[in-house]
Amino acid sequence: MPLNTVVNARDGSSRIVLSEPSGSRAEVSLYGGQVVSWKNERREQLLYMSTKAQMKPPKAIRGGLPICFPQFGNFGALERHGFARNRFWSFDNDPSPLPPANQQSTVDLVLKSTEDDLKIWPHSFELRVRISISPGKLTIIPRVRNTDPKAFSFMFALRNYLYVSDISEVRVEGLETLDYLDNLMRRERFTEQADAITFDGEIDRVYLNTPTKIAIIDHERKRTIELRKEGMPNAVVWNPWDKKAKSIADMGDEDYTTMLCVDSGAIETPILLKPCEEWRGRQELSIVSSSYCSGQLDPRKVLYGDH
């Protein structure tokens, strides 16, 4: 049977440990409802966690998989990335009507609006996430229900801090020819000209109308992380590079070399929910072994092949 246990971390926080028979495991913090670790069957870490991350309020956890709600970045009047990542979540005792998670190790968490939240964002809501692991895969299913008498709109994003071997050797494929908003250029709109995104400096972009599948190719590890998403039409690509990394208090100066954020989100066009309506998204991160031919990966196999 898959394991689902609660442990106390060295920093005093409570974490849910998800594990499955092949040996992969994930750790989820109730603070932020956030995946803070995901390891494959060889116990290799797949998510970046800052060497200076703080695991307690009021600071958000720098790394893992933060949940951005009801705002992404500074695309609104709230604190950066909203407040869901700065709150303590609860176990969800009513996770239906999702289908059962067969042969997966799963935890269901919920965040409900409090009086303090209503003072800064006056909309009553329930935010649920189901986090599951299976061999080579981490799945997150977020749901937002409007429990308010009035309609409201919100942004949502799953920020994926991926652990990579060397940022200068990583390629992101699947976003070529798409329009994006460049956060380094006051959100000016551009069209991606490269056949793949590679990295030699700071990048902070919101790609629009993105496909359901994006590939993050780590040449040095001969590994590809496949991102599949539903209900989140935007993808964010972010790396602070050296100068910005030094200005981020809870990030190591050299951490930028081994991390990359490729996020799923509904950012450009906020989601509108009427009273009692519910929105649902889905994200899967999968590990795919890269096959090489003359030192080059065939991107068609990554993007269009069956895995």
Side-chain angles (χ1 to χ4, degrees):
M1 286 292 291
L3 299 176
N4 180 337
T5 58
V6 179
V7 300
N8 291 316
R10 281 177 292 182
D11 56 27
S13 62
S14 293
R15 294 184 182 182
I16 303 103
V17 177
L18 306 179
S19 59
E20 51 82 29
S22 76
S24 63
R25 59 185 278 154
E27 294 184 15
V28 183
S29 172
L30 287 176
Y31 180 54
Q34 183 167 334
V35 179
V36 293
S37 174
W38 176 36
K39 294 181 179 180
N40 63 16
E41 69 281 359
R42 295 187 298 277
R43 296 297 167 93
E44 296 169 329
Q45 183 60 253
L46 304 170
L47 299 179
Y48 158 84
M49 179 59 66
S50 171
T51 53
K52 296 182 177 179
Q54 299 179 34
M55 300 286 185
K56 53 181 183 280
K59 191 72 177 174
I61 301 171
R62 172 77 63 185
L65 213 156
I67 296 168
C68 304
F69 170 89
Q71 176 182 302
F72 180 82
N74 55 2
F75 281 68
L78 298 175
E79 62 184 286
R80 189 172 183 83
H81 295 316
F83 51 76
R85 64 188 191 140
N86 303 81
R87 300 290 186 268
F88 281 98
W89 292 52
S90 304
F91 289 101
D92 187 1
N93 297 318
D94 183 26
S96 59
L98 292 176
N102 294 329
Q103 299 303 309
Q104 294 182 330
S105 182
T106 297
V107 65
D108 291 282
L109 301 178
V110 63
L111 180 71
K112 299 181 181 182
S113 48
T114 66
E115 289 187 13
D116 288 340
D117 295 333
L118 291 170
K119 292 174 184 175
I120 59 173
W121 196 65
H123 309 290
S124 180
F125 68 89
E126 293 178 356
L127 168 56
R128 289 179 159 83
V129 293
R130 167 170 284 183
I131 302 166
S132 306
I133 63 166
S134 53
K137 185 179 292 184
L138 173 67
T139 303
I140 297 184
I141 301 175
R143 294 184 292 155
V144 177
R145 176 172 289 277
N146 182 350
T147 57
D148 202 82
K150 295 182 180 179
F152 64 71
S153 60
F154 64 94
M155 300 175 210
F156 186 90
L158 296 172
R159 166 135 280 193
N160 301 304
Y161 279 95
L162 305 175
Y163 181 58
V164 298
S165 55
D166 180 351
I167 185 63
S168 61
E169 298 294 324
V170 172
R171 295 165 61 91
V172 177
E173 300 187 356
L175 301 175
E176 51 275 7
T177 75
L178 298 181
D179 285 359
Y180 64 87
L181 306 178
D182 193 333
N183 288 326
L184 304 179
M185 301 282 287
R186 297 183 180 179
R187 294 192 202 133
E188 192 173 341
R189 188 169 178 144
F190 296 92
T191 301
E192 182 58 64
Q193 303 292 334
D195 60 356
I197 301 171
T198 56
F199 304 91
D200 59 5
E202 184 181 359
I203 186 171
D204 189 357
R205 299 173 181 172
V206 180
Y207 284 83
L208 312 177
N209 301 313
T210 59
T212 57
K213 185 158 71 167
I214 300 166
I216 301 96
I217 303 162
D218 190 337
H219 288 290
E220 194 169 309
R221 286 208 173 91
K222 295 182 173 59
R223 184 167 72 202
T224 295
I225 300 174
E226 197 175 81
L227 168 62
R228 292 175 180 262
K229 56 189 180 60
E230 300 169 12
M232 294 175 280
N234 302 133
V236 182
V237 180
W238 179 67
N239 182 288
W241 219 249
D242 53 352
K243 188 176 180 181
K244 177 69 72 65
K246 289 185 173 79
S247 72
I248 299 174
D250 60 348
M251 190 176 210
D253 289 354
E254 301 298 320
D255 282 13
Y256 76 94
T257 62
T258 55
M259 61 75 66
L260 174 64
C261 284
V262 181
D263 311 334
S264 305
I267 300 163
E268 182 199 21
T269 304
I271 298 160
L272 177 65
L273 277 187
K274 296 175 182 175
C276 300
E277 278 189 339
E278 182 176 272
W279 166 84
R280 182 189 300 180
R282 182 185 180 90
Q283 175 186 280
E284 290 181 357
L285 290 173
S286 304
I287 304 303
V288 182
S289 293
S290 304
S291 56
Y292 279 74
C293 179
S294 303
Q296 292 295 317
L297 184 75
D298 183 350
R300 290 168 299 182
K301 291 182 181 177
V302 176
L303 291 171
Y304 309 113
D306 293 326
H307 299 293

